[in-house]
Amino acid sequence: MQSFKLLALGGDHIGPEVTMAALDVFQHLTTREQIPVEIDEDLLGGASWDVHQTFCTDDVAAKAKAADAILVGAVGGPEWDAIEIDGPITETDGLTRLRIELDVYNALRPARAWKPLLNKTPYRDNVVTGSNILVVRENSGGIYYGEPRGRDTAAQGQQRAYEISEYHTFEIERIARCALTAARDRKKQLVSLDKSNVMETGKLWRETVGRIARDEFPDVTVRHLLMDFALYEIARKPTEFDVVLADNLFGDLVSDLVGITAGSLGMLPSACLPGPVKSGDRIRGGIYEPTHGSAPDISGLGIANPIAAILSVAMIFEYALGRSGLAKEIETTVEQVLADGLFTVDLGGKATTSEVTQGIIKKL
Ligand code: IPM
Ligand code: MG
């Protein structure tokens, strides 16, 4: 068997801390299962800037393209906020460069309720119990990358800033297929979000998702909801949603919102993939990362919650290695460790990153 190539890019602040924890779990399970792996580590974000004066080197981009999967910690911090470089966002943000160069347009952001954490959410138990939502976010287009964008001086010395929200049919078609494939694998229900009442992109979005669903996924029930009302409904009755599809900007918003059901941002993994996946599939070249940021305020203290990174490793087992059984095992073990009361500070506990990680490894 050929070795599975994992590129680990810890990034900044707590990024390397949670990445190390996740790698421990990855190595433990791949050793146990006799899966040959090659792990390479490199720099991304501020850590890369400090050494190379760029947030992502060409070398790292090339390594990422050659890897079977890329595990990212978190990037950024106040030290690098003031650095001004000209050019598109792919130059100013290393992670964005990787997302675009690898064309990982299918961002999967799952959030579920964890029994031991129900009382860490603002919900009553009966409202959130069983909640399990997969946000499918279009990750390569829309208002994040539309041209032109910029800033100029308009009449009377007013500053004018602008960006364009644009989508081509093929971009909507391909992400619709990703969401519908995921929905077919789960409860065969998809909710697609848009602002088709005011936005042209929203109209094209609704038409296109509707057409792909009718023509290619007649077994999946699709509901189209306006974004504003959808947020209200998802917040109110999270258990009534399963797979939720949204464009880049709306997907960014709704994926944080559904995170509330998990009890902490420290519990949210993600996978950015270059195509659709159903269980048992293997896809190369995905970027796996916790949804949380680099948390400079707690960096270096060894108290960051490693679970989002560890659950991102679970997603590597699921989608890059096609081993959903191992992914499930990680998830169940995380729940047991939480049930034992092993909480990091974000969950109101005192456990360290390493205590939580070792707790998980011991049970695996
Ligand atoms: C995310 C983040 C990023 C995004 C930022 C940091 C550029 O919010 O991954 O959700 O908006 O995509
Ligand atoms: Mg976000």
Side-chain angles (χ1 to χ4, degrees), residues 10-298:
D12 305 314
H13 291 293
I14 65 163
E17 301 174 35
V18 297
T19 303
M20 284 307 142
L23 284 180
D24 284 347
V25 173
F26 183 73
Q27 275 169 316
H28 176 80
L29 270 185
T30 48
T31 307
R32 197 194 75 184
E33 297 295 316
Q34 300 182 319
I35 302 169
V37 295
E38 259 172 61
I39 299 177
D40 191 8
E41 291 172 39
D42 216 313
L43 305 173
L44 188 71
S48 170
W49 177 268
D50 290 347
V51 180
H52 303 292
Q53 281 73 58
T54 170
F55 291 108
C56 174
T57 61
D58 294 344
D59 187 40
V60 164
K63 280 186 186 176
K65 282 180 199 156
D68 289 307
I70 300 112
L71 177 67
V72 171
V75 291
E79 307 89 311
W80 306 284
D81 280 351
I83 296 167
E84 297 226 7
I85 29 185
D86 282 339
I89 172 167
T90 45
E91 297 284 315
T92 55
D93 184 275
L95 185 52
T96 306
R97 172 174 180 187
L98 289 183
R99 286 178 181 171
I100 292 299
E101 289 203 15
L102 296 174
D103 199 23
V104 285
Y105 63 91
N106 178 21
L108 300 180
R109 298 186 159 193
R112 52 158 288 189
W114 300 85
K115 201 155 178 278
L117 301 182
L118 294 179
N119 66 357
K120 314 282 182 190
T121 77
Y123 287 106
R124 289 189 302 279
D125 285 6
N126 64 327
V127 178
V128 72
T129 297
S131 176
N132 187 334
I133 298 176
L134 176 67
V135 172
V136 179
R137 171 188 181 189
E138 197 293 318
N139 204 41
S140 305
I143 200 163
Y144 273 55
Y145 304 107
E147 294 286 347
R149 60 187 285 139
R151 212 168 136 147
D152 53 30
T153 305
Q156 288 150 353
Q158 290 290 306
Q159 289 285 298
R160 182 181 74 119
Y162 55 92
E163 44 259 308
I164 301 279
S165 180
E166 68 171 342
Y167 269 108
H168 294 88
T169 320
F170 84 92
E171 295 175 287
I172 306 174
E173 287 173 347
R174 65 182 191 169
I175 192 66
R177 288 191 183 101
C178 292
L180 287 155
T181 302
R184 179 175 269 167
D185 226 17
R186 292 168 54 118
K187 294 187 174 164
K188 298 190 172 12
Q189 286 168 20
L190 174 69
V191 172
S192 173
L193 312 185
D194 62 52
K195 279 291 282 180
S196 55
N197 54 343
V198 286
M199 295 175 72
E200 290 301 324
T201 45
K203 292 192 182 85
L204 184 62
W205 186 273
R206 188 171 288 214
E207 273 165 42
T208 309
V209 173
R211 173 169 53 76
I212 297 291
R214 260 191 327 276
D215 292 353
E216 299 173 27
F217 297 83
D219 51 323
V220 178
T221 309
V222 178
R223 266 197 302 159
H224 300 274
L225 291 184
L226 295 175
M227 176 65 189
D228 48 354
F229 178 65
L231 290 182
Y232 172 79
E233 285 290 281
I234 295 170
R236 211 161 67 88
K237 300 181 283 192
T239 56
E240 292 189 5
F241 292 80
D242 190 55
V243 181
V244 173
L245 165 66
D247 76 8
N248 203 342
L249 178 61
F250 294 158
D252 180 43
L253 307 183
V254 74
S255 59
D256 275 23
L257 178 90
V258 301
I260 302 172
T261 61
S264 163
L265 271 180
M267 298 295 298
L268 301 175
S270 79
C272 297
L273 306 175
V277 273
K278 55 183 186 319
S279 50
D281 283 353
R282 296 183 63 166
I283 190 164
R284 282 195 70 250
I287 303 178
Y288 299 80
E289 46 174 318
T291 302
H292 61 68
S294 68
D297 53 323
I298 58 161

Side-chain angles (χ1 to χ4, degrees), residues 285-342:
I287 303 178
Y288 299 80
E289 46 174 318
T291 302
H292 61 68
S294 68
D297 53 323
I298 58 161
S299 103
L301 302 178
I303 57 170
N305 188 349
I307 294 178
I310 290 170
L311 293 172
S312 300
V313 160
M315 293 184 89
I316 293 179
F317 280 112
E318 170 125 38
Y319 300 121
L321 281 152
R323 299 288 298 267
S324 43
L326 294 178
K328 194 80 216 146
E329 190 185 339
I330 294 179
E331 211 178 305
T332 314
T333 309
V334 163
E335 187 142 37
Q336 285 167 5
V337 164
L338 292 169
D340 292 344
L342 218 47

